[in-house]
């Protein structure tokens, strides 16, 4: 049975709906890929927007593609403080009751009533990896980080799909607290 996997730090970013892409970047705009991300089909875009909260603005927040059904802004808890909102720690797509903000692009702006979250720590696993690790989709596990600032992350969601690549995701605040960098190996504890 396998027990180690790579970790990656996720910086603030936004996933936009098709409707919001049109408003922020103009009718007929297509997102421009700058690089592929670790998860198949996901990519960082050339496009950036400003996220305006009640207290402050996060300028130049990277857009990730492809377009999603609902606009979602993923920030750290520290970013939430900067904006003046309290982002709930949620699984991706669980946006009900989360704070909103004004989004400003080069061609327009849109006010969203919800969509800002601090993404819950999670592991992407291919179905074969889940079998190797002895876990199932939606399991919650612990993950040990070694080193000088070692710690154990609890309540880590396992997400299994035949198109996922093996990798744990934490936000920048969590990664910095644990002293990890992209590609470091961590240990899954069932």
């Amino acid at each position: 049975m396998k027990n180690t996997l790579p970790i990656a730090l996720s910086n603030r970013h936004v996933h936009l709906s098709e409707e919001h892409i049109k408003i922020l970047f103009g009718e007929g705009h297509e997102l421009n890929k700058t690089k592929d991300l670790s998860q198949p089909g996901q990519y960082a875009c050339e496009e950036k927007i400003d996220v305006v909260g009640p207290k402050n603005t996060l300028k130049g927040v990277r857009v990730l593609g492809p377009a999603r059904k609902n606009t979602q802004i993923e920030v750290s808890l520290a970013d939430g403080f900067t904006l003046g909102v309290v982002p709930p720690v949620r699984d991706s797509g669980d946006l009900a009751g989360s704070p909103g903000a004004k989004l400003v692009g080069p061609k327009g702006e849109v006010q969203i009533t919800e969509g800002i979250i601090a993404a819950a720590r999670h592991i992407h696993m291919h179905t074969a990896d889940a079998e190797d690790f002895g876990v199932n989709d939606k399991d919650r596990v612990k993950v040990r980080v070694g080193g000088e600032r070692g710690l154990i992350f609890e309540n880590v969601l396992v997400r299994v799909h035949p198109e996922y690549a093996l990798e744990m995701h934490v936000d920048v605040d969590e990664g910095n607290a644990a002293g990890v960098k992209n590609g470091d190996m961590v240990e899954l504890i069932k």
Side-chain angles (χ1 to χ4, degrees):
M1 187 179 297
K2 203 170 176 185
N3 72 339
T4 60
L5 66 149
I7 192 168
L9 284 65
S10 180
N11 203 353
R12 69 179 73 111
H13 61 272
V14 61
H15 301 277
L16 295 172
S17 67
E18 288 284 359
E19 175 191 3
H20 291 161
I21 291 169
K22 290 176 190 173
I23 293 168
L24 297 169
F25 297 101
E27 191 68 37
H29 184 84
E30 297 287 330
L31 295 175
N32 297 293
K33 178 173 28 173
T34 58
K35 72 173 186 174
D36 287 317
L37 300 177
S38 62
Q39 294 308 307
Q42 303 294 305
Y43 52 91
C45 300
E46 181 181 295
E47 291 81 0
K48 296 179 183 177
I49 63 166
D50 294 341
V51 179
V52 182
K55 184 176 168 188
N56 222 324
T57 300
L58 295 175
K59 293 197 163 286
V61 178
R62 176 81 55 201
V63 175
L64 300 186
R68 293 226 178 146
K69 181 180 175 192
N70 296 305
T71 291
Q72 174 174 301
I73 299 119
E74 295 183 32
V75 299
S76 69
L77 297 178
D79 288 335
F81 180 77
T82 299
L83 287 169
V85 300
V86 179
V89 176
R90 299 270 181 86
D91 298 337
S92 183
D94 183 4
L95 307 177
S98 63
K102 181 166 70 170
L103 309 181
V104 180
K107 301 284 186 181
E109 57 186 52
V110 63
Q111 180 72 43
I112 60 169
T113 57
E114 61 186 18
I116 299 176
I117 63 168
R121 55 185 78 115
H122 58 278
I123 300 170
H124 291 274
M125 283 191 185
H126 185 277
T127 48
D129 292 317
E131 192 172 310
D132 288 346
F133 280 88
V135 296
N136 297 300
D137 188 45
K138 296 190 172 88
D139 280 358
R140 299 275 176 175
V141 298
K142 296 178 183 182
V143 175
R144 182 188 329 272
V145 176
E148 187 175 1
R149 300 193 78 188
L151 53 78
I152 295 177
F153 285 114
E154 297 200 19
N155 303 315
V156 180
L157 175 68
V158 175
R159 298 173 65 196
V160 178
H161 192 277
E163 295 179 10
Y164 286 165
L166 181 63
E167 191 171 64
M168 179 178 176
H169 290 171
V170 296
D171 69 30
V172 172
D173 288 353
E174 291 178 304
N176 288 339
V180 294
K181 62 186 182 313
N182 290 336
D184 283 355
M185 297 303 284
V186 296
E187 177 189 358
L188 185 141
I189 305 167
K190 288 194 350 181

